[in-house]
Amino acid sequence: MAKMVNPDISGKQYQEGSLKDWKNYEYYVLARDEYTCQLCHKHGEGVKLVVHHIVYRSQGGTDRVDNLITLCTNCHTTKNHQPGGKLYKWMKAKKKVTKQLKGATFMNILRKRIMTTFPEASFQYGSQTYVDRKNLLLPKGHFMDAIAISGIK
Ligand SMILES: [Zn+2]
């Protein structure tokens, strides 16, 4: 999985993990949660998402992905963080994130087959497509991702 995220990985980078940098954690969590607020389940255009620490950093919560979850800014409020708030309850319950990137494992297998069948093909990771699409000011969507992947300026 680490090799899939970073094909140039080697040596002790495997121990550090592919999620060493915060931006990668963020992309991983957003992708895992399918760009959907895990509290109100809103997603799509106009929904601003943030990555939240289930056990707050101030309470010793880590940056591990099992302590991170996607929320929208309407749910990621001061009120929800305070005792009685929904996020406070998640922290006290040590809410478990059970979703995995099973799709990523599948895509890793599929990618190898495609690259074998079409050796002239190239590939790029979703985190790069995300950045490219944002730079092109394109909305979310598979079609828009395809445009971003094309390399158009
Ligand atoms: Zn929400």
Side-chain angles (χ1 to χ4, degrees), residues 41-72:
H41 304 292
K42 283 196 181 120
H43 60 92
E45 285 309 302
V47 179
K48 208 164 180 340
L49 298 172
V50 294
V51 173
H52 166 70
H53 287 77
I54 295 168
V55 176
Y56 308 160
R57 268 183 293 197
S58 62
Q59 302 299 309
T62 71
D63 286 344
R64 285 171 51 102
V65 293
D66 55 8
N67 189 46
L68 299 172
I69 198 162
T70 304
L71 292 174
C72 75

Side-chain angles (χ1 to χ4, degrees), residues 80-115:
N80 270 340
H81 281 81
Q82 289 166 348
K86 288 171 183 167
L87 301 179
Y88 190 85
K89 283 177 187 154
W90 276 5
M91 174 165 68
K92 289 294 160 194
K94 292 190 169 29
K95 179 177 171 58
K96 291 279 178 277
V97 178
T98 52
K99 273 190 206 162
Q100 309 270 324
L101 272 180
K102 283 181 186 143
T105 305
F106 170 77
M107 282 309 297
N108 196 26
I109 295 162
L110 187 64
R111 178 174 61 80
K112 281 178 189 158
R113 290 186 185 172
I114 289 172
M115 296 307 286

Side-chain angles (χ1 to χ4, degrees), residues 37 39-41 71-72 75:
C37 174
L39 189 53
C40 72
H41 304 292
L71 292 174
C72 75
C75 291

Side-chain angles (χ1 to χ4, degrees), residues 22-40:
W22 167 250
K23 264 296 170 196
N24 283 337
Y25 279 105
E26 199 170 50
Y27 289 136
Y28 177 94
V29 171
L30 289 167
R32 182 198 64 197
D33 296 341
E34 296 172 347
Y35 300 92
T36 299
C37 174
Q38 298 301 296
L39 189 53
C40 72

